[in-house]
Amino acid sequence: MIIEKASEVLEKYQLCDHCLGRLFAKLGKGTNEKRGRAIRFVLNMERSKEGLPSFEKPAECELCHNVFDWIPGLIEKIKEAAGEVEFDTFLVGSRFPDEIREKEKKIWEEFGIETAEPINREFNRELGKAFGRATGKETSKNPDVVFIVEPYSGKIELQINPIYIYGRYRKLVRGIPQTPHPDFEESVASIICRPFSRATGGKCVFKGAGREDVDVRTLGNGRPFILEIKRPKRRKINLEEIAREINASGKVEVLNLRFTTPDEAERVLSTPHRKEYLALVLVEDGVTPKEAEEVAKKLTGLEIYQRTPWRVRKARTDKVRVRRVHHAEAKWRDEKHFELRLVTDGGLYIKELISGDKGRTKPSVSDLLGKPAWCERLDVLNVLDDERPEGSSETR
């Protein structure tokens, strides 16, 4: 069947060994070129036996125009396109003209061939193997770079995949936002991204797992964040050196820097994180140690119904969120102040939990005290990930 089918095709089309073998790519093992050469050899022996002329390999293939012979030159063009871009893994893709893909499909349909593979699939595979041998690089499903080749024009398109970096940051000072803002010279993001951009030659995009207000510090184990470095020219960077440079700012510290994957980055950013806070509460009408302790006792385990705070209503969807206070402790400071240490679900606005936000948060510390209370100072002490205080319920 194979020999008969191949004979029918070669009677009408002048094909190279690649294009002949590719018609039967799903049969047996080995390259299409070897398969085509073997089929041509056996077919010609049969024809010689019958006194018929051989089907010699054509000077130019009627289908691909000998595109596989151009692979060595294309490898040099790929190297030139890569330039100084640093990579260890790669993939090769290609764009073939419509007329070639349509002619190939026409041959399949004309001769009822169901064992073929498309020309671009073989070309990608052969070019990729040759480029790997020439450079010592390896192919990967998640490569550092992708080369898109237009073989007939010689055009090479380079797609550089991002680097993803996980870390945690501490914001040691008040008065800087998490991300750039026109009213501030710098931000947590700019302090962290600056050395990464220099080291990689790429564009650094900062993404925090939640955020804190400008006047709030983040201490303890730090807030998780992800950096996406787009189109990096250099991928082999020293994370410890970069951490030392960031930490020398005295404003922001980074911890646990490591390379990560897009999937893990998504999980880090989409997973709710419990948080531990320390708030200094101001009660102008005065507060006693007993009142402070009672508030903490009532808050522990309490569900809070919080409508989007008034101060962020333009930037957030206006809806009621239900969050839980898992644990609360109070420490009386003076006649008008007490400290409140809280462990809460992520997404609970602590300032409004204390003030009540004109009734938009219920219940609030103000409600529980029976008199107005305000958050005078706030720190994020820890971002707890999957840790749960003893005796607390599951997060939603």
Side-chain angles (χ1 to χ4, degrees):
M1 287 291 292
I2 294 174
I3 299 303
E4 292 175 4
K5 190 73 68 175
S7 179
E8 293 175 9
V9 173
L10 293 179
E11 288 282 1
K12 186 169 182 180
Y13 297 99
Q14 297 284 307
L15 300 183
C16 67
D17 290 337
H18 282 278
C19 291
L20 175 59
R22 196 169 58 255
L23 295 174
F24 310 98
K26 296 178 182 179
L27 303 176
K29 297 181 180 180
T31 67
N32 288 327
E33 183 185 24
K34 290 181 179 178
R35 184 179 292 106
R37 191 184 306 133
I39 291 172
R40 193 186 303 272
F41 178 76
V42 173
L43 176 57
N44 284 337
M45 283 199 302
E46 293 285 345
R47 292 177 67 82
S48 176
K49 178 181 177 182
E50 297 173 9
L52 299 173
S54 299
F55 287 125
E56 300 297 336
K57 182 179 176 181
E60 181 175 324
C61 178
E62 187 176 339
L63 177 58
C64 76
H65 307 290
N66 298 356
V67 71
F68 291 90
D69 294 341
W70 305 349
I71 284 178
L74 290 170
I75 288 174
E76 296 307 311
K77 287 182 177 292
I78 293 174
K79 290 180 181 178
E80 184 179 339
E84 297 181 358
V85 173
E86 188 177 83
F87 66 98
D88 290 322
T89 59
F90 73 95
L91 277 182
V92 170
S94 59
R95 296 192 184 103
F96 274 76
D98 290 343
E99 56 265 28
I100 288 180
R101 292 188 289 108
E102 289 169 1
K103 186 172 185 178
E104 180 177 61
K105 187 176 180 181
K106 176 186 174 184
I107 293 173
W108 299 349
E109 294 173 349
E110 183 178 353
F111 296 97
I113 292 173
E114 299 178 352
T115 55
E117 71 170 348
I119 186 172
N120 63 298
R121 187 176 300 172
E122 180 189 7
F123 186 81
N124 296 348
R125 183 171 61 249
E126 296 303 319
L127 179 57
K129 288 191 296 186
F131 184 74
R133 289 193 297 268
T135 61
K137 310 295 185 181
E138 296 183 353
T139 57
S140 169
K141 291 182 179 179
N142 298 297
D144 297 335
V145 297
V146 178
F147 300 101
I148 306 298
V149 179
E150 294 182 8
Y152 296 97
S153 69
K155 181 180 177 182
I156 310 292
E157 179 183 319
L158 178 60
Q159 297 177 357
I160 306 174
N161 286 332
I163 299 172
Y164 293 89
I165 294 165
Y166 166 89
R168 303 177 83 103
Y169 75 82
R170 295 186 183 122
K171 191 175 86 174
L172 306 178
V173 298
R174 307 183 196 279
I176 57 173
Q178 186 192 71
T179 53
H181 190 282
D183 294 336
F184 297 87
E185 292 184 1
E186 57 186 358
S187 63
V188 172
S190 65
I191 292 171
I192 292 176
C193 275
R194 199 175 297 125
F196 275 100
S197 294
R198 282 198 302 267
T200 63
K203 180 182 178 182
C204 177
V205 179
F206 175 95
K207 302 172 184 179
R211 61 174 60 230
E212 67 284 327
D213 289 340
V214 170
D215 60 344
V216 175
R217 296 183 301 176
T218 296
L219 308 173
N221 65 353
R223 183 185 296 278
F225 69 89
I226 295 294
L227 298 181
E228 180 183 2
I229 314 295
K230 297 183 177 182
R231 295 191 63 81
K233 293 182 179 179
R234 295 172 293 279
R235 308 181 84 90
K236 297 176 182 178
I237 56 176
N238 190 316
L239 297 181
E240 291 183 1
E241 286 185 4
I242 293 176
R244 283 194 291 270
E245 182 177 348
I246 294 168
N247 296 349
S249 70
K251 299 175 181 178
V252 175
E253 286 182 353
V254 290
L255 314 167
N256 308 332
L257 292 181
R258 59 178 170 81
F259 295 100
T260 188
T261 64
D263 288 343
E264 186 189 12
E266 179 63 27
R267 286 196 298 273
V268 169
L269 297 174
S270 61
T271 300
H273 297 270
R274 294 187 182 196
K275 298 179 183 69
E276 181 181 5
Y277 298 93
L278 182 63
L280 181 63
V281 180
L282 168 65
V283 185
E284 287 285 2
D285 294 341
V287 63
T288 66
K290 184 176 181 180
E291 286 176 317
E293 290 178 7
E294 284 297 318
V295 165
K297 187 181 297 184
K298 291 175 181 177
L299 279 173
T300 298
L302 196 60
E303 276 195 343
I304 308 298
Y305 293 80
Q306 189 167 66
R307 187 175 177 186
T308 302
W310 186 257
R311 62 188 170 93
V312 298
R313 67 194 185 283
K314 293 181 180 179
R316 302 284 187 274
T317 303
D318 189 9
K319 64 179 183 179
V320 175
R321 298 168 176 83
V322 182
R323 298 290 187 269
R324 184 179 296 275
V325 177
H326 295 282
H327 186 71
E329 294 179 5
K331 182 179 179 180
W332 186 80
R333 295 290 297 272
D334 58 41
E335 289 79 4
K336 291 188 177 183
H337 295 90
F338 69 97
E339 288 181 347
L340 196 55
R341 186 183 291 261
L342 302 164
V343 176
T344 76
D345 284 342
L348 179 61
Y349 292 88
I350 303 303
K351 293 177 180 177
E352 284 71 22
L353 172 65
I354 294 171
S355 71
D357 197 24
K358 299 180 179 179
R360 295 170 75 90
T361 295
K362 286 187 171 294
S364 66
V365 172
S366 294
D367 292 336
L368 299 177
L369 277 173
K371 45 191 165 185
W374 306 94
C375 182
E376 193 168 273
R377 190 176 67 233
L378 181 63
D379 289 324
V380 180
L381 296 184
N382 286 294
V383 179
L384 299 174
D385 295 338
D386 294 329
E387 300 169 29
R388 298 183 178 90
E390 186 176 350
S392 66
S393 61
E394 296 288 322
T395 51
R396 296 182 309 106

